């Protein structure tokens, strides 16, 4: 991807599905696609949480990737997420009603 200044680095606010291009060019069909997505964003908030069912710790991060998303990260990730840090990688997009959070 080329930026107007000629660089090829991604903007820190970025999210795209690799399936998007395959679906458009016809090399994949909708039944082949999945929620795996390339993601890059800036951490706005990071909160250490504990799963009450498993007692496992994890990071709940509010991340701006062009839109605000909650991202779950492993407790032992190095370096630990902090506001202003950039995270990137492949994520598996999932939705939630939030119902479980209050249980």
């Amino acid at each position: 991807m080329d930026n107007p200044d000629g660089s090829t680095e991604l903007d820190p606010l970025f999210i795209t599905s690799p399936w998007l291009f395959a679906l458009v060019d016809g090399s994949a069909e909708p039944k082949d696609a999945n929620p795996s997505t390339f993601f890059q964003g800036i951490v706005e908030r990071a909160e250490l949480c504990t799963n009450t069912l498993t007692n496992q710790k994890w990071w709940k991060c509010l991340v701006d990737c062009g839109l605000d998303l909650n991202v779950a990260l492993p407790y032992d990730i190095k370096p630990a997420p902090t506001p202003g840090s950039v995270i990137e990688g492949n994520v598996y997009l999932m939705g939630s009603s939030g119902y479980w959070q209050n249980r």
Side-chain angles (χ1 to χ4, degrees):
M1 175 179 298
D2 292 327
N3 293 318
D5 65 1
S7 69
T8 57
E9 292 183 23
L10 297 175
D11 185 290
L13 307 180
F14 183 80
I15 185 169
T16 190
S17 169
W19 292 104
L20 178 63
F21 304 106
L23 291 169
V24 169
D25 72 16
S27 61
E29 297 181 23
K31 65 179 176 62
D32 300 321
N34 65 49
S36 178
T37 302
F38 182 75
F39 175 91
Q40 185 167 297
I42 300 172
V43 175
E44 294 183 354
R45 194 169 54 237
E47 174 185 358
L48 189 57
C49 299
T50 301
N51 181 318
T52 56
L53 297 174
T54 65
N55 215 28
Q56 295 284 331
K57 292 182 180 182
W58 60 284
W59 287 102
K60 177 181 178 184
C61 299
L62 179 64
V63 180
D64 180 2
C65 65
L67 61 140
D68 288 341
L69 294 177
N70 283 309
V71 177
L73 296 173
Y75 163 70
D76 58 354
I77 194 166
K78 301 286 186 219
T82 58
S85 59
V86 175
I87 61 172
E88 69 177 25
N90 290 319
V91 296
Y92 194 82
L93 293 179
M94 298 172 52
S96 170
S97 66
Y99 176 81
W100 60 272
Q101 195 167 0
N102 297 318
R103 299 285 162 202

